[in-house]
PDB file of all heavy atoms in Angstrom:
ATOM      1  N   ALA A  42       0.820  -1.209   0.000  1.00 97.00           N
ATOM      2  CA  ALA A  42       0.000   0.000   0.000  1.00 97.00           C
ATOM      3  C   ALA A  42       0.855   1.262   0.000  1.00 97.00           C
ATOM      4  O   ALA A  42       0.476   2.285  -0.578  1.00 97.00           O
ATOM      5  CB  ALA A  42      -0.938  -0.002   1.203  1.00 97.00           C
ATOM      6  N   SER A  43       2.023   1.199   0.635  1.00 97.00           N
ATOM      7  CA  SER A  43       2.887   2.381   0.729  1.00 97.00           C
ATOM      8  C   SER A  43       3.363   2.856  -0.641  1.00 97.00           C
ATOM      9  O   SER A  43       3.711   4.025  -0.807  1.00 97.00           O
ATOM     10  CB  SER A  43       4.093   2.078   1.621  1.00 97.00           C
ATOM     11  OG  SER A  43       5.040   1.232   0.970  1.00 97.00           O
ATOM     12  N   THR A  44       3.369   1.962  -1.631  1.00 97.00           N
ATOM     13  CA  THR A  44       3.815   2.366  -2.968  1.00 97.00           C
ATOM     14  C   THR A  44       2.834   3.342  -3.615  1.00 97.00           C
ATOM     15  O   THR A  44       3.172   3.984  -4.617  1.00 97.00           O
ATOM     16  CB  THR A  44       3.986   1.141  -3.891  1.00 97.00           C
ATOM     17  OG1 THR A  44       2.709   0.518  -4.126  1.00 97.00           O
ATOM     18  CG2 THR A  44       4.924   0.121  -3.265  1.00 97.00           C
ATOM     19  N   LEU A  45       1.623   3.454  -3.064  1.00 97.00           N
ATOM     20  CA  LEU A  45       0.598   4.337  -3.623  1.00 97.00           C
ATOM     21  C   LEU A  45       0.464   5.628  -2.826  1.00 97.00           C
ATOM     22  O   LEU A  45      -0.491   6.388  -3.024  1.00 97.00           O
ATOM     23  CB  LEU A  45      -0.739   3.589  -3.693  1.00 97.00           C
ATOM     24  CG  LEU A  45      -0.706   2.325  -4.564  1.00 97.00           C
ATOM     25  CD1 LEU A  45      -2.037   1.590  -4.497  1.00 97.00           C
ATOM     26  CD2 LEU A  45      -0.366   2.667  -6.011  1.00 97.00           C
ATOM     27  N   LEU A  46       1.398   5.869  -1.908  1.00 97.00           N
ATOM     28  CA  LEU A  46       1.487   7.130  -1.169  1.00 97.00           C
ATOM     29  C   LEU A  46       2.739   7.868  -1.634  1.00 97.00           C
ATOM     30  O   LEU A  46       3.638   7.268  -2.228  1.00 97.00           O
ATOM     31  CB  LEU A  46       1.550   6.868   0.337  1.00 97.00           C
ATOM     32  CG  LEU A  46       0.316   6.195   0.948  1.00 97.00           C
ATOM     33  CD1 LEU A  46       0.645   5.630   2.335  1.00 97.00           C
ATOM     34  CD2 LEU A  46      -0.842   7.190   1.042  1.00 97.00           C
ATOM     35  N   ALA A  47       2.810   9.160  -1.343  1.00 95.00           N
ATOM     36  CA  ALA A  47       3.921   9.943  -1.924  1.00 95.00           C
ATOM     37  C   ALA A  47       4.479  10.989  -0.966  1.00 95.00           C
ATOM     38  O   ALA A  47       4.939  12.038  -1.409  1.00 95.00           O
ATOM     39  CB  ALA A  47       3.448  10.611  -3.206  1.00 95.00           C
ATOM     40  N   GLN A  48       4.477  10.711   0.341  1.00 97.00           N
ATOM     41  CA  GLN A  48       5.008  11.696   1.289  1.00 97.00           C
ATOM     42  C   GLN A  48       6.460  12.042   0.998  1.00 97.00           C
ATOM     43  O   GLN A  48       6.840  13.204   0.895  1.00 97.00           O
ATOM     44  CB  GLN A  48       4.933  11.147   2.719  1.00 97.00           C
ATOM     45  CG  GLN A  48       3.572  10.830   3.244  1.00 97.00           C
ATOM     46  CD  GLN A  48       3.658   9.999   4.507  1.00 97.00           C
ATOM     47  OE1 GLN A  48       3.436  10.495   5.602  1.00 97.00           O
ATOM     48  NE2 GLN A  48       3.987   8.730   4.358  1.00 97.00           N
ATOM     49  N   ARG A  49       7.280  11.016   0.876  1.00 96.00           N
ATOM     50  CA  ARG A  49       8.724  11.209   0.734  1.00 96.00           C
ATOM     51  C   ARG A  49       9.078  11.833  -0.615  1.00 96.00           C
ATOM     52  O   ARG A  49       9.854  12.794  -0.688  1.00 96.00           O
ATOM     53  CB  ARG A  49       9.433   9.866   0.902  1.00 96.00           C
ATOM     54  CG  ARG A  49      10.960   9.953   0.977  1.00 96.00           C
ATOM     55  CD  ARG A  49      11.570   8.561   1.050  1.00 96.00           C
ATOM     56  NE  ARG A  49      13.009   8.626   1.200  1.00 96.00           N
ATOM     57  CZ  ARG A  49      13.655   8.501   2.355  1.00 96.00           C
ATOM     58  NH1 ARG A  49      12.962   8.328   3.472  1.00 96.00           N
ATOM     59  NH2 ARG A  49      14.971   8.566   2.401  1.00 96.00           N
ATOM     60  N   SER A  50       8.508  11.296  -1.688  1.00 95.00           N
ATOM     61  CA  SER A  50       8.869  11.789  -3.013  1.00 95.00           C
ATOM     62  C   SER A  50       8.394  13.227  -3.213  1.00 95.00           C
ATOM     63  O   SER A  50       9.090  14.038  -3.847  1.00 95.00           O
ATOM     64  CB  SER A  50       8.297  10.883  -4.100  1.00 95.00           C
ATOM     65  OG  SER A  50       6.888  10.857  -4.067  1.00 95.00           O
ATOM     66  N   LEU A  51       7.224  13.582  -2.679  1.00 97.00           N
ATOM     67  CA  LEU A  51       6.747  14.955  -2.795  1.00 97.00           C
ATOM     68  C   LEU A  51       7.700  15.914  -2.087  1.00 97.00           C
ATOM     69  O   LEU A  51       8.061  16.962  -2.631  1.00 97.00           O
ATOM     70  CB  LEU A  51       5.339  15.073  -2.216  1.00 97.00           C
ATOM     71  CG  LEU A  51       4.730  16.475  -2.210  1.00 97.00           C
ATOM     72  CD1 LEU A  51       4.655  17.052  -3.621  1.00 97.00           C
ATOM     73  CD2 LEU A  51       3.335  16.452  -1.563  1.00 97.00           C
ATOM     74  N   HIS A  52       8.122  15.542  -0.894  1.00 98.00           N
ATOM     75  CA  HIS A  52       9.061  16.388  -0.143  1.00 98.00           C
ATOM     76  C   HIS A  52      10.360  16.550  -0.929  1.00 98.00           C
ATOM     77  O   HIS A  52      10.909  17.664  -1.032  1.00 98.00           O
ATOM     78  CB  HIS A  52       9.329  15.764   1.228  1.00 98.00           C
ATOM     79  CG  HIS A  52      10.063  16.662   2.168  1.00 98.00           C
ATOM     80  ND1 HIS A  52      11.429  16.859   2.106  1.00 98.00           N
ATOM     81  CD2 HIS A  52       9.620  17.432   3.202  1.00 98.00           C
ATOM     82  CE1 HIS A  52      11.802  17.698   3.063  1.00 98.00           C
ATOM     83  NE2 HIS A  52      10.722  18.074   3.730  1.00 98.00           N
ATOM     84  N   GLU A  53      10.852  15.475  -1.505  1.00 97.00           N
ATOM     85  CA  GLU A  53      12.118  15.535  -2.242  1.00 97.00           C
ATOM     86  C   GLU A  53      12.008  16.420  -3.477  1.00 97.00           C
ATOM     87  O   GLU A  53      12.901  17.228  -3.759  1.00 97.00           O
ATOM     88  CB  GLU A  53      12.548  14.116  -2.641  1.00 97.00           C
ATOM     89  CG  GLU A  53      12.990  13.259  -1.461  1.00 97.00           C
ATOM     90  CD  GLU A  53      13.246  11.808  -1.851  1.00 97.00           C
ATOM     91  OE1 GLU A  53      12.843  11.426  -2.985  1.00 97.00           O
ATOM     92  OE2 GLU A  53      13.822  11.059  -1.041  1.00 97.00           O
ATOM     93  N   HIS A  54      10.922  16.296  -4.230  1.00 97.00           N
ATOM     94  CA  HIS A  54      10.772  17.070  -5.453  1.00 97.00           C
ATOM     95  C   HIS A  54      10.632  18.564  -5.163  1.00 97.00           C
ATOM     96  O   HIS A  54      11.206  19.398  -5.880  1.00 97.00           O
ATOM     97  CB  HIS A  54       9.560  16.581  -6.244  1.00 97.00           C
ATOM     98  CG  HIS A  54       9.827  15.360  -7.070  1.00 97.00           C
ATOM     99  ND1 HIS A  54       9.536  14.093  -6.625  1.00 97.00           N
ATOM    100  CD2 HIS A  54      10.367  15.213  -8.297  1.00 97.00           C
ATOM    101  CE1 HIS A  54       9.886  13.217  -7.554  1.00 97.00           C
ATOM    102  NE2 HIS A  54      10.396  13.867  -8.578  1.00 97.00           N
ATOM    103  N   VAL A  55       9.869  18.903  -4.127  1.00 98.00           N
ATOM    104  CA  VAL A  55       9.687  20.322  -3.818  1.00 98.00           C
ATOM    105  C   VAL A  55      10.974  20.906  -3.235  1.00 98.00           C
ATOM    106  O   VAL A  55      11.331  22.051  -3.519  1.00 98.00           O
ATOM    107  CB  VAL A  55       8.485  20.506  -2.869  1.00 98.00           C
ATOM    108  CG1 VAL A  55       8.356  21.970  -2.442  1.00 98.00           C
ATOM    109  CG2 VAL A  55       7.205  20.045  -3.553  1.00 98.00           C
ATOM    110  N   THR A  56      11.687  20.105  -2.447  1.00 98.00           N
ATOM    111  CA  THR A  56      12.975  20.567  -1.922  1.00 98.00           C
ATOM    112  C   THR A  56      13.934  20.904  -3.052  1.00 98.00           C
ATOM    113  O   THR A  56      14.700  21.885  -2.967  1.00 98.00           O
ATOM    114  CB  THR A  56      13.594  19.496  -1.006  1.00 98.00           C
ATOM    115  OG1 THR A  56      12.719  19.261   0.102  1.00 98.00           O
ATOM    116  CG2 THR A  56      14.957  19.938  -0.483  1.00 98.00           C
ATOM    117  N   ARG A  57      13.904  20.132  -4.129  1.00 98.00           N
ATOM    118  CA  ARG A  57      14.800  20.403  -5.263  1.00 98.00           C
ATOM    119  C   ARG A  57      14.523  21.760  -5.903  1.00 98.00           C
ATOM    120  O   ARG A  57      15.434  22.391  -6.440  1.00 98.00           O
ATOM    121  CB  ARG A  57      14.670  19.289  -6.309  1.00 98.00           C
ATOM    122  CG  ARG A  57      15.257  17.957  -5.850  1.00 98.00           C
ATOM    123  CD  ARG A  57      15.330  16.950  -6.984  1.00 98.00           C
ATOM    124  NE  ARG A  57      15.633  15.633  -6.459  1.00 98.00           N
ATOM    125  CZ  ARG A  57      14.800  14.592  -6.475  1.00 98.00           C
ATOM    126  NH1 ARG A  57      13.603  14.728  -7.031  1.00 98.00           N
ATOM    127  NH2 ARG A  57      15.151  13.433  -5.959  1.00 98.00           N
ATOM    128  N   VAL A  58      13.286  22.216  -5.848  1.00 98.00           N
ATOM    129  CA  VAL A  58      12.979  23.537  -6.401  1.00 98.00           C
ATOM    130  C   VAL A  58      13.650  24.618  -5.558  1.00 98.00           C
ATOM    131  O   VAL A  58      14.259  25.554  -6.090  1.00 98.00           O
ATOM    132  CB  VAL A  58      11.461  23.769  -6.481  1.00 98.00           C
ATOM    133  CG1 VAL A  58      11.175  25.138  -7.100  1.00 98.00           C
ATOM    134  CG2 VAL A  58      10.784  22.674  -7.299  1.00 98.00           C
ATOM    135  N   ALA A  59      13.538  24.496  -4.228  1.00 98.00           N
ATOM    136  CA  ALA A  59      14.208  25.460  -3.349  1.00 98.00           C
ATOM    137  C   ALA A  59      15.711  25.438  -3.578  1.00 98.00           C
ATOM    138  O   ALA A  59      16.350  26.488  -3.689  1.00 98.00           O
ATOM    139  CB  ALA A  59      13.879  25.144  -1.887  1.00 98.00           C
ATOM    140  N   GLU A  60      16.272  24.244  -3.677  1.00 98.00           N
ATOM    141  CA  GLU A  60      17.715  24.122  -3.909  1.00 98.00           C
ATOM    142  C   GLU A  60      18.104  24.707  -5.267  1.00 98.00           C
ATOM    143  O   GLU A  60      19.154  25.354  -5.401  1.00 98.00           O
ATOM    144  CB  GLU A  60      18.133  22.659  -3.823  1.00 98.00           C
ATOM    145  CG  GLU A  60      18.021  22.069  -2.425  1.00 98.00           C
ATOM    146  CD  GLU A  60      18.258  20.566  -2.385  1.00 98.00           C
ATOM    147  OE1 GLU A  60      18.220  19.928  -3.471  1.00 98.00           O
ATOM    148  OE2 GLU A  60      18.456  20.032  -1.283  1.00 98.00           O
ATOM    149  N   GLY A  61      17.266  24.467  -6.280  1.00 97.00           N
ATOM    150  CA  GLY A  61      17.555  25.003  -7.602  1.00 97.00           C
ATOM    151  C   GLY A  61      17.606  26.524  -7.594  1.00 97.00           C
ATOM    152  O   GLY A  61      18.511  27.129  -8.185  1.00 97.00           O
ATOM    153  N   LEU A  62      16.649  27.155  -6.930  1.00 97.00           N
ATOM    154  CA  LEU A  62      16.646  28.612  -6.841  1.00 97.00           C
ATOM    155  C   LEU A  62      17.846  29.123  -6.054  1.00 97.00           C
ATOM    156  O   LEU A  62      18.471  30.119  -6.433  1.00 97.00           O
ATOM    157  CB  LEU A  62      15.350  29.093  -6.182  1.00 97.00           C
ATOM    158  CG  LEU A  62      14.070  29.003  -7.022  1.00 97.00           C
ATOM    159  CD1 LEU A  62      12.858  29.350  -6.166  1.00 97.00           C
ATOM    160  CD2 LEU A  62      14.140  29.934  -8.233  1.00 97.00           C
ATOM    161  N   GLU A  63      18.170  28.438  -4.958  1.00 97.00           N
ATOM    162  CA  GLU A  63      19.261  28.890  -4.105  1.00 97.00           C
ATOM    163  C   GLU A  63      20.628  28.718  -4.763  1.00 97.00           C
ATOM    164  O   GLU A  63      21.515  29.559  -4.603  1.00 97.00           O
ATOM    165  CB  GLU A  63      19.221  28.117  -2.774  1.00 97.00           C
ATOM    166  CG  GLU A  63      18.026  28.466  -1.910  1.00 97.00           C
ATOM    167  CD  GLU A  63      17.782  27.453  -0.797  1.00 97.00           C
ATOM    168  OE1 GLU A  63      18.353  26.342  -0.852  1.00 97.00           O
ATOM    169  OE2 GLU A  63      16.998  27.750   0.113  1.00 97.00           O
ATOM    170  N   GLN A  64      20.778  27.642  -5.516  1.00 96.00           N
ATOM    171  CA  GLN A  64      22.102  27.317  -6.056  1.00 96.00           C
ATOM    172  C   GLN A  64      22.311  27.806  -7.485  1.00 96.00           C
ATOM    173  O   GLN A  64      23.415  28.204  -7.856  1.00 96.00           O
ATOM    174  CB  GLN A  64      22.321  25.799  -5.988  1.00 96.00           C
ATOM    175  CG  GLN A  64      22.334  25.255  -4.570  1.00 96.00           C
ATOM    176  CD  GLN A  64      22.290  23.734  -4.512  1.00 96.00           C
ATOM    177  OE1 GLN A  64      22.488  23.060  -5.535  1.00 96.00           O
ATOM    178  NE2 GLN A  64      22.037  23.179  -3.343  1.00 96.00           N
ATOM    179  N   ASP A  65      21.241  27.767  -8.302  1.00 95.00           N
ATOM    180  CA  ASP A  65      21.400  28.086  -9.725  1.00 95.00           C
ATOM    181  C   ASP A  65      20.454  29.176 -10.210  1.00 95.00           C
ATOM    182  O   ASP A  65      20.315  29.373 -11.426  1.00 95.00           O
ATOM    183  CB  ASP A  65      21.194  26.818 -10.566  1.00 95.00           C
ATOM    184  CG  ASP A  65      22.188  25.722 -10.196  1.00 95.00           C
ATOM    185  OD1 ASP A  65      23.391  26.012 -10.198  1.00 95.00           O
ATOM    186  OD2 ASP A  65      21.750  24.598  -9.913  1.00 95.00           O
ATOM    187  N   GLY A  66      19.795  29.847  -9.289  1.00 96.00           N
ATOM    188  CA  GLY A  66      18.944  30.951  -9.674  1.00 96.00           C
ATOM    189  C   GLY A  66      17.702  30.525 -10.439  1.00 96.00           C
ATOM    190  O   GLY A  66      17.207  29.407 -10.293  1.00 96.00           O
ATOM    191  N   LEU A  67      17.218  31.433 -11.279  1.00 96.00           N
ATOM    192  CA  LEU A  67      15.965  31.198 -11.986  1.00 96.00           C
ATOM    193  C   LEU A  67      16.019  29.962 -12.875  1.00 96.00           C
ATOM    194  O   LEU A  67      15.061  29.177 -12.903  1.00 96.00           O
ATOM    195  CB  LEU A  67      15.616  32.430 -12.822  1.00 96.00           C
ATOM    196  CG  LEU A  67      14.316  32.361 -13.631  1.00 96.00           C
ATOM    197  CD1 LEU A  67      13.127  32.073 -12.735  1.00 96.00           C
ATOM    198  CD2 LEU A  67      14.117  33.652 -14.406  1.00 96.00           C
ATOM    199  N   ASP A  68      17.116  29.746 -13.606  1.00 96.00           N
ATOM    200  CA  ASP A  68      17.202  28.577 -14.487  1.00 96.00           C
ATOM    201  C   ASP A  68      17.107  27.282 -13.693  1.00 96.00           C
ATOM    202  O   ASP A  68      16.433  26.330 -14.109  1.00 96.00           O
ATOM    203  CB  ASP A  68      18.516  28.608 -15.277  1.00 96.00           C
ATOM    204  CG  ASP A  68      18.515  29.687 -16.356  1.00 96.00           C
ATOM    205  OD1 ASP A  68      17.420  30.160 -16.717  1.00 96.00           O
ATOM    206  OD2 ASP A  68      19.602  30.058 -16.823  1.00 96.00           O
ATOM    207  N   GLY A  69      17.788  27.229 -12.546  1.00 97.00           N
ATOM    208  CA  GLY A  69      17.724  26.029 -11.709  1.00 97.00           C
ATOM    209  C   GLY A  69      16.336  25.801 -11.157  1.00 97.00           C
ATOM    210  O   GLY A  69      15.850  24.660 -11.107  1.00 97.00           O
ATOM    211  N   GLY A  70      15.674  26.867 -10.736  1.00 97.00           N
ATOM    212  CA  GLY A  70      14.319  26.737 -10.220  1.00 97.00           C
ATOM    213  C   GLY A  70      13.346  26.284 -11.291  1.00 97.00           C
ATOM    214  O   GLY A  70      12.491  25.424 -11.051  1.00 97.00           O
ATOM    215  N   ARG A  71      13.468  26.872 -12.490  1.00 96.00           N
ATOM    216  CA  ARG A  71      12.573  26.473 -13.584  1.00 96.00           C
ATOM    217  C   ARG A  71      12.747  25.003 -13.945  1.00 96.00           C
ATOM    218  O   ARG A  71      11.759  24.284 -14.169  1.00 96.00           O
ATOM    219  CB  ARG A  71      12.848  27.336 -14.814  1.00 96.00           C
ATOM    220  CG  ARG A  71      12.268  28.739 -14.750  1.00 96.00           C
ATOM    221  CD  ARG A  71      12.703  29.559 -15.952  1.00 96.00           C
ATOM    222  NE  ARG A  71      12.001  30.825 -16.033  1.00 96.00           N
ATOM    223  CZ  ARG A  71      12.295  31.785 -16.917  1.00 96.00           C
ATOM    224  NH1 ARG A  71      13.287  31.598 -17.790  1.00 96.00           N
ATOM    225  NH2 ARG A  71      11.617  32.914 -16.938  1.00 96.00           N
ATOM    226  N   ALA A  72      13.991  24.536 -14.000  1.00 96.00           N
ATOM    227  CA  ALA A  72      14.243  23.136 -14.356  1.00 96.00           C
ATOM    228  C   ALA A  72      13.637  22.198 -13.319  1.00 96.00           C
ATOM    229  O   ALA A  72      13.063  21.161 -13.670  1.00 96.00           O
ATOM    230  CB  ALA A  72      15.750  22.896 -14.476  1.00 96.00           C
ATOM    231  N   ALA A  73      13.758  22.551 -12.037  1.00 97.00           N
ATOM    232  CA  ALA A  73      13.232  21.681 -10.985  1.00 97.00           C
ATOM    233  C   ALA A  73      11.714  21.719 -10.927  1.00 97.00           C
ATOM    234  O   ALA A  73      11.060  20.683 -10.752  1.00 97.00           O
ATOM    235  CB  ALA A  73      13.831  22.086  -9.638  1.00 97.00           C
ATOM    236  N   VAL A  74      11.120  22.906 -11.082  1.00 95.00           N
ATOM    237  CA  VAL A  74       9.667  23.006 -10.949  1.00 95.00           C
ATOM    238  C   VAL A  74       8.963  22.376 -12.146  1.00 95.00           C
ATOM    239  O   VAL A  74       7.814  21.915 -12.033  1.00 95.00           O
ATOM    240  CB  VAL A  74       9.234  24.476 -10.757  1.00 95.00           C
ATOM    241  CG1 VAL A  74       9.103  25.228 -12.088  1.00 95.00           C
ATOM    242  CG2 VAL A  74       7.931  24.564  -9.972  1.00 95.00           C
ATOM    243  N   ALA A  75       9.649  22.311 -13.301  1.00 94.00           N
ATOM    244  CA  ALA A  75       9.053  21.676 -14.480  1.00 94.00           C
ATOM    245  C   ALA A  75       8.768  20.201 -14.251  1.00 94.00           C
ATOM    246  O   ALA A  75       7.940  19.606 -14.955  1.00 94.00           O
ATOM    247  CB  ALA A  75       9.978  21.841 -15.684  1.00 94.00           C
ATOM    248  N   MET A  76       9.427  19.599 -13.259  1.00 93.00           N
ATOM    249  CA  MET A  76       9.225  18.179 -12.957  1.00 93.00           C
ATOM    250  C   MET A  76       7.950  17.924 -12.168  1.00 93.00           C
ATOM    251  O   MET A  76       7.500  16.781 -12.084  1.00 93.00           O
ATOM    252  CB  MET A  76      10.421  17.635 -12.165  1.00 93.00           C
ATOM    253  CG  MET A  76      11.766  17.831 -12.853  1.00 93.00           C
ATOM    254  SD  MET A  76      11.858  17.004 -14.455  1.00 93.00           S
ATOM    255  CE  MET A  76      11.753  15.285 -13.938  1.00 93.00           C
ATOM    256  N   ILE A  77       7.347  18.975 -11.595  1.00 93.00           N
ATOM    257  CA  ILE A  77       6.200  18.743 -10.706  1.00 93.00           C
ATOM    258  C   ILE A  77       4.963  19.550 -11.067  1.00 93.00           C
ATOM    259  O   ILE A  77       3.915  19.360 -10.439  1.00 93.00           O
ATOM    260  CB  ILE A  77       6.568  19.011  -9.222  1.00 93.00           C
ATOM    261  CG1 ILE A  77       7.057  20.451  -9.032  1.00 93.00           C
ATOM    262  CG2 ILE A  77       7.596  18.013  -8.732  1.00 93.00           C
ATOM    263  CD1 ILE A  77       7.254  20.822  -7.565  1.00 93.00           C
ATOM    264  N   VAL A  78       5.040  20.459 -12.052  1.00 89.00           N
ATOM    265  CA  VAL A  78       3.855  21.232 -12.420  1.00 89.00           C
ATOM    266  C   VAL A  78       3.635  21.163 -13.917  1.00 89.00           C
ATOM    267  O   VAL A  78       4.559  20.900 -14.691  1.00 89.00           O
ATOM    268  CB  VAL A  78       3.975  22.715 -11.979  1.00 89.00           C
ATOM    269  CG1 VAL A  78       4.147  22.820 -10.472  1.00 89.00           C
ATOM    270  CG2 VAL A  78       5.119  23.418 -12.695  1.00 89.00           C
ATOM    271  N   GLY A  79       2.397  21.417 -14.327  1.00 81.00           N
ATOM    272  CA  GLY A  79       2.070  21.366 -15.743  1.00 81.00           C
ATOM    273  C   GLY A  79       2.192  22.703 -16.438  1.00 81.00           C
ATOM    274  O   GLY A  79       2.116  22.763 -17.658  1.00 81.00           O
ATOM    275  N   ARG A  80       2.371  23.778 -15.679  1.00 80.00           N
ATOM    276  CA  ARG A  80       2.430  25.094 -16.310  1.00 80.00           C
ATOM    277  C   ARG A  80       3.752  25.300 -17.031  1.00 80.00           C
ATOM    278  O   ARG A  80       4.725  24.605 -16.777  1.00 80.00           O
ATOM    279  CB  ARG A  80       2.192  26.194 -15.271  1.00 80.00           C
ATOM    280  CG  ARG A  80       3.287  26.349 -14.255  1.00 80.00           C
ATOM    281  CD  ARG A  80       2.831  27.183 -13.070  1.00 80.00           C
ATOM    282  NE  ARG A  80       1.772  26.506 -12.353  1.00 80.00           N
ATOM    283  CZ  ARG A  80       1.196  26.999 -11.257  1.00 80.00           C
ATOM    284  NH1 ARG A  80       1.560  28.175 -10.785  1.00 80.00           N
ATOM    285  NH2 ARG A  80       0.249  26.332 -10.636  1.00 80.00           N
ATOM    286  N   ASN A  81       3.777  26.267 -17.919  1.00 82.00           N
ATOM    287  CA  ASN A  81       4.959  26.548 -18.718  1.00 82.00           C
ATOM    288  C   ASN A  81       6.009  27.243 -17.864  1.00 82.00           C
ATOM    289  O   ASN A  81       5.822  28.397 -17.462  1.00 82.00           O
ATOM    290  CB  ASN A  81       4.561  27.437 -19.902  1.00 82.00           C
ATOM    291  CG  ASN A  81       5.690  27.664 -20.879  1.00 82.00           C
ATOM    292  OD1 ASN A  81       6.854  27.386 -20.578  1.00 82.00           O
ATOM    293  ND2 ASN A  81       5.359  28.176 -22.047  1.00 82.00           N
TER     294      ASN A  81
END
C-alpha cells in the first residue's frame, strides 16, 4: 500500500525547487519546478 502514497517523493521534489533557486537561480528553479507542475 505504501507504494501508492507519496510523502517522501513529494518532499524531495519540492525541496529540489528550493535548492535550484538557491544554487542556480531562476534557471535552476525552472528546471526543478518543471518536474512537478504542468504550467509553462
Side-chain angles (χ1 to χ4, degrees):
S43 74
T44 66
L45 300 176
L46 297 164
Q48 298 166 105
R49 188 184 183 99
S50 62
L51 177 59
H52 191 281
E53 290 173 347
H54 279 96
V55 175
T56 299
R57 290 190 192 113
V58 182
E60 292 172 345
L62 287 173
E63 291 164 345
Q64 297 169 13
D65 301 307
L67 180 57
D68 288 342
R71 283 175 171 173
V74 84
M76 304 300 294
I77 59 172
V78 300
R80 68 195 65 179
N81 186 346

